[in-house]
Amino acid sequence: MASGSDRNPIIIGGLPSQVPDFDPEETKEWLDSLDAAIDARGRERARYLMLRLIERAREKRVAVPEMRSTDYVNTIATKDEPFFPGNEEIERKILNATRWNAAVMVSRAQRPGIGVGGHIATFASSASLYDVGFNHFFRGKDQGDGGDQIFFQGHASPGIYARAFLLDRLSETQLDGFRQEKSKYPNGLSSYPHPRSMPDFWEFPTVSMGLGPIGAIYQARMNRYMHARGIADTSKSHVWAFLGDGEMDEPESLGQLSIAAREGLDNLTFVVNCNLQRLDGPVRGNGKIMQELESQFRGAGWNVIKLIWDRSWDPLLAQDRDGVLVNKLNTTPDGQFQTYATETGAYIREHFFGGDHRLRAMVENMTDHQILMLGRGGHDHRKIYAAYKAAVEHQGQPTVILAQTVKGWTLGPNFEGRNATHQMKKLTVDDLKRFRDRLHLPIADKELEDGLPPYYHPGPESEEIQYMHDRRRALGGYVPTRVVRARPLTLPDDKAYAAVKKGSGQQSIATTMAFVRLLKDLMRDKELGKRFVLIAPDEYRTFGMDSFFPSAKIYNPLGQQYEAVDRELLLAYKESPTGQMLHDGISEAGCTASLIAAGSAYATHGEHLIPVYVFYSMFGFQRTGDQFWQMADQLSRGFVLGATAGRTTLTGEGLQHADGHSQLLASTNPACVAYDPAYGYEIAHIVKDGLRRMYGPESEDVFYYLTVYNEPIQHPAEPADVDVEGILKGLHRIGAGESGSIPAQIMASGVAVPWALEAQRILAEEWNVRADVWSATSWNELRRDAVAVDEHNLLHPEEEQRVPYVTRKLSGAEGPFVAVSDWMRSVPDQIARWVPGPYTSLGADGFGFADTRGAARRYFHIDAQSIVLAVLTELARAGKVDGSALKQAIDRYQLLDVSAADPGAAGGDA
């Protein structure tokens, strides 16, 4: 075997190391040429030649590996910059007015007696990045389509409000209502982009860092999905996401870059505002965050455009024949660049240019002020325009623009580049004067010294304002703007729900399968069917949804370019460019982002989509709970299915898979309507009402969460006297006690309902107790109703006091009341104070574990026999049964012995 040296590896890090050399003489000539270039002109010249060769090789479509990072200079050469079509002088005046109003708005919000704060520095750094977009790129919705989708950086919201003020979209009164949404209602402005707070203005909530990037990726993908399926023409829509370099540390910011590259989402542009600072200090003080991000994005398959230096650097870089300046830029860490942003020109001359005579010579004819004003590319309109134009014209890849800026730019020496600038909210009089002078605004000293600093508006007929209106008209309207154009859907009639209402007969099925059967019937509806968007994190088969593969198919823009290994099966894996199912891989965060994008399509593109997202309930609200708040804020609609629900139902999986709390987490989200149904007919009524509430004539901005199980049970047919109101409000009686003389009530939800019915039988046959059984389809909705009633009664003592639904529903029932579920006790305990009688609950509190269902339920004391004991205990307290019955029950049912429990049904379907 040849040794490593004998094998003569050509290069490491991407090129083949074992390729045979078919023409050693030619190879030697090339290597000799390179050696000669190094000897004669130096390593930097040789490096430049190599880079040019790589560039030419790519132009000729010769496959060469990508470099992870490039020099610390602009990607777009000066000679390649396009003509700038705008009036830069007018745009600079507009930007100055916007900068002033943004800072003054925050400063006024920090006045004594108010003190609600705000952030100044983020927008100050990114103002030019936004302004070029507003003036030349961001498409509005006036042409009847969705326009562009823009994810504004949350902390930059003051600048977006300030620009809207200049365009007369917002008034001074509204600016003074910044962060005072209730006390200044209806003139309050939300702190950040919150569509729920300002549903005609903001489209996308972004300030929960990391959710903007992943949301933008899946929005761009949803645009392609809708276009491919013929639901909406999104071919002109471009998705822009404005992000911070510190924000890119969030896992969600970078975690799904590959899907954007894999699907060729060239309708997506990230603009990362690299001001080199986090909230409290440098992002990479000892490193270079732009180089790091370039490597990550380039490695993930993105087109990378670095926008680092403004035009004042162009003459210096043109002189850099030896590469000494580029080398200095490459080797200077970010922390030092931040220091330069706060120091004098003399300091920069000495510490940056002073270490090499060639660098000193470059700036010897420059004044200290000129050196000080050597700027960063994110503040140069022409450089920004060139980057944006290249991004939107690039095909086949998503693009990231890494734009270097100074945090707090133009705000003065107390703000610019300071570690604490993110927390600084108040401008002193001296700060305001320096700021005004920097922006060349006609504001007198007296206006700054007396009272609150004024807003500045050049007048509706001014050249600047007319220019702004003209640009927005040319680009299709004002942004941000949220418009709801979607018409109510024609909902299916009762026939679509008939099959699932018949029950399962002698067959045992899980509630997951009952839902899937209903969904299949709904998808046959001519109006509604095509609008369903099925979403799952690589678990369709687990949830019994592989039956959709042949008909709905899995969305893949490339189609299926291989023969599936299961192609002979009836339920073979099928991919299609027009597929209806989103198979997002093992990524709950990605699936939830798809859910949000689909659920808000009615506003984004004026077309309803009905997302149905099915996941392991343990990994839904727990793992991606922040995104469900984002979903609520974005006013997204749809169905979320927490499958394999319950702490004891998913046998054998163990601690991290045992969900006993997602219903409790769901209860914290005001937009989430959560149900825990037991039977198919309950699911039918819940889904029917959900479609009405979300997609009917009086649509609501809510989403539905249903927990469904993988344990097969027999589903009864819908009773003739079905209590639809009770199902929807959260409680209906499903079994009146027929024997026994001592009354009691058992309330159960989901998979616990069969245990309650078994307990009812035992109580009647063995203890003379006549227990009614109630299905609590939603503990959460019962509590919400009761809380709303309490609030009304608190504030209207002079009116007749209202009674909560749960109290009214149980008013004729004789207690005690025992509640049971496969959730922790906190879930049924939500309604305790409104139950009209003695109330106790059983629940699966603690960690889950792997065992049989019966053993787990005996361990948590939630099985039928434990319910019997709980009922007897409450009756003994009331003196209705002898206390000795309790020890008898414990012994008879061996309640202290987990192994004595009937193991129950093994395994289970979906």
Side-chain angles (χ1 to χ4, degrees), residues 292-305:
E292 181 180 321
L293 290 175
E294 179 185 22
S295 299
Q296 291 171 317
F297 278 92
R298 196 182 296 280
W302 286 53
N303 175 45
V304 179
I305 298 174

mmCIF file of all heavy atoms in Angstrom, residues 292-305:
data_model
loop_
_atom_site.group_PDB
_atom_site.id
_atom_site.type_symbol
_atom_site.label_atom_id
_atom_site.label_comp_id
_atom_site.label_asym_id
_atom_site.label_seq_id
_atom_site.Cartn_x
_atom_site.Cartn_y
_atom_site.Cartn_z
ATOM 1 N N GLU A 292 -17.658 34.301 10.201
ATOM 2 C CA GLU A 292 -18.285 33.093 10.725
ATOM 3 C C GLU A 292 -19.630 32.838 10.046
ATOM 4 O O GLU A 292 -19.928 31.714 9.622
ATOM 5 C CB GLU A 292 -18.462 33.235 12.230
ATOM 6 C CG GLU A 292 -19.083 32.044 12.911
ATOM 7 C CD GLU A 292 -19.234 32.258 14.407
ATOM 8 O OE1 GLU A 292 -18.325 32.837 15.026
ATOM 9 O OE2 GLU A 292 -20.280 31.841 14.939
ATOM 10 N N LEU A 293 -20.437 33.891 9.931
ATOM 11 C CA LEU A 293 -21.740 33.729 9.288
ATOM 12 C C LEU A 293 -21.589 33.406 7.808
ATOM 13 O O LEU A 293 -22.347 32.600 7.253
ATOM 14 C CB LEU A 293 -22.573 35.002 9.471
ATOM 15 C CG LEU A 293 -23.061 35.282 10.893
ATOM 16 C CD1 LEU A 293 -23.759 36.630 10.960
ATOM 17 C CD2 LEU A 293 -24.003 34.177 11.372
ATOM 18 N N GLU A 294 -20.609 34.025 7.164
ATOM 19 C CA GLU A 294 -20.376 33.708 5.759
ATOM 20 C C GLU A 294 -20.095 32.217 5.588
ATOM 21 O O GLU A 294 -20.639 31.565 4.684
ATOM 22 C CB GLU A 294 -19.199 34.526 5.222
ATOM 23 C CG GLU A 294 -18.888 34.221 3.758
ATOM 24 C CD GLU A 294 -17.653 34.943 3.248
ATOM 25 O OE1 GLU A 294 -16.809 35.337 4.066
ATOM 26 O OE2 GLU A 294 -17.536 35.094 2.018
ATOM 27 N N SER A 295 -19.277 31.670 6.464
ATOM 28 C CA SER A 295 -18.950 30.248 6.375
ATOM 29 C C SER A 295 -20.185 29.384 6.570
ATOM 30 O O SER A 295 -20.393 28.398 5.856
ATOM 31 C CB SER A 295 -17.896 29.892 7.433
ATOM 32 O OG SER A 295 -16.704 30.604 7.235
ATOM 33 N N GLN A 296 -20.996 29.748 7.547
ATOM 34 C CA GLN A 296 -22.178 28.945 7.836
ATOM 35 C C GLN A 296 -23.189 28.999 6.707
ATOM 36 O O GLN A 296 -23.743 27.961 6.292
ATOM 37 C CB GLN A 296 -22.806 29.417 9.153
ATOM 38 C CG GLN A 296 -21.956 29.102 10.366
ATOM 39 C CD GLN A 296 -22.474 29.745 11.632
ATOM 40 O OE1 GLN A 296 -22.873 30.908 11.646
ATOM 41 N NE2 GLN A 296 -22.467 29.004 12.726
ATOM 42 N N PHE A 297 -23.459 30.187 6.202
ATOM 43 C CA PHE A 297 -24.430 30.311 5.117
ATOM 44 C C PHE A 297 -23.897 29.690 3.823
ATOM 45 O O PHE A 297 -24.622 28.985 3.113
ATOM 46 C CB PHE A 297 -24.797 31.770 4.889
ATOM 47 C CG PHE A 297 -25.843 32.301 5.822
ATOM 48 C CD1 PHE A 297 -25.495 32.924 7.011
ATOM 49 C CD2 PHE A 297 -27.186 32.172 5.524
ATOM 50 C CE1 PHE A 297 -26.461 33.406 7.875
ATOM 51 C CE2 PHE A 297 -28.163 32.646 6.370
ATOM 52 C CZ PHE A 297 -27.796 33.274 7.558
ATOM 53 N N ARG A 298 -22.639 29.940 3.533
ATOM 54 C CA ARG A 298 -22.072 29.391 2.310
ATOM 55 C C ARG A 298 -22.045 27.861 2.371
ATOM 56 O O ARG A 298 -22.363 27.169 1.409
ATOM 57 C CB ARG A 298 -20.663 29.944 2.099
ATOM 58 C CG ARG A 298 -20.140 29.758 0.683
ATOM 59 C CD ARG A 298 -18.721 30.279 0.555
ATOM 60 N NE ARG A 298 -18.627 31.713 0.778
ATOM 61 C CZ ARG A 298 -18.912 32.645 -0.121
ATOM 62 N NH1 ARG A 298 -19.363 32.282 -1.321
ATOM 63 N NH2 ARG A 298 -18.772 33.919 0.152
ATOM 64 N N GLY A 299 -21.696 27.344 3.546
ATOM 65 C CA GLY A 299 -21.679 25.897 3.711
ATOM 66 C C GLY A 299 -23.057 25.273 3.595
ATOM 67 O O GLY A 299 -23.190 24.124 3.180
ATOM 68 N N ALA A 300 -24.088 26.050 3.956
ATOM 69 C CA ALA A 300 -25.464 25.547 3.858
ATOM 70 C C ALA A 300 -26.033 25.674 2.457
ATOM 71 O O ALA A 300 -27.149 25.218 2.197
ATOM 72 C CB ALA A 300 -26.361 26.302 4.844
ATOM 73 N N GLY A 301 -25.259 26.311 1.551
ATOM 74 C CA GLY A 301 -25.705 26.395 0.165
ATOM 75 C C GLY A 301 -26.344 27.715 -0.226
ATOM 76 O O GLY A 301 -27.017 27.798 -1.255
ATOM 77 N N TRP A 302 -26.143 28.757 0.579
ATOM 78 C CA TRP A 302 -26.717 30.067 0.280
ATOM 79 C C TRP A 302 -25.747 30.900 -0.560
ATOM 80 O O TRP A 302 -24.526 30.720 -0.501
ATOM 81 C CB TRP A 302 -27.023 30.830 1.569
ATOM 82 C CG TRP A 302 -28.221 30.341 2.322
ATOM 83 C CD1 TRP A 302 -28.488 29.069 2.722
ATOM 84 C CD2 TRP A 302 -29.312 31.147 2.789
ATOM 85 N NE1 TRP A 302 -29.671 29.016 3.414
ATOM 86 C CE2 TRP A 302 -30.197 30.276 3.477
ATOM 87 C CE3 TRP A 302 -29.616 32.493 2.714
ATOM 88 C CZ2 TRP A 302 -31.379 30.731 4.059
ATOM 89 C CZ3 TRP A 302 -30.790 32.947 3.300
ATOM 90 C CH2 TRP A 302 -31.662 32.076 3.964
ATOM 91 N N ASN A 303 -26.316 31.833 -1.295
ATOM 92 C CA ASN A 303 -25.540 32.879 -1.951
ATOM 93 C C ASN A 303 -25.232 33.948 -0.905
ATOM 94 O O ASN A 303 -26.134 34.454 -0.246
ATOM 95 C CB ASN A 303 -26.347 33.472 -3.110
ATOM 96 C CG ASN A 303 -25.668 34.644 -3.770
ATOM 97 O OD1 ASN A 303 -24.475 34.606 -4.039
ATOM 98 N ND2 ASN A 303 -26.423 35.700 -4.041
ATOM 99 N N VAL A 304 -23.959 34.278 -0.746
ATOM 100 C CA VAL A 304 -23.548 35.213 0.305
ATOM 101 C C VAL A 304 -23.019 36.489 -0.322
ATOM 102 O O VAL A 304 -22.136 36.448 -1.187
ATOM 103 C CB VAL A 304 -22.471 34.589 1.217
ATOM 104 C CG1 VAL A 304 -22.050 35.590 2.298
ATOM 105 C CG2 VAL A 304 -22.980 33.307 1.857
ATOM 106 N N ILE A 305 -23.565 37.613 0.123
ATOM 107 C CA ILE A 305 -23.076 38.929 -0.299
ATOM 108 C C ILE A 305 -22.632 39.682 0.954
ATOM 109 O O ILE A 305 -23.444 39.936 1.845
ATOM 110 C CB ILE A 305 -24.167 39.735 -1.031
ATOM 111 C CG1 ILE A 305 -24.604 39.012 -2.309
ATOM 112 C CG2 ILE A 305 -23.661 41.138 -1.361
ATOM 113 C CD1 ILE A 305 -25.785 39.677 -3.013
#
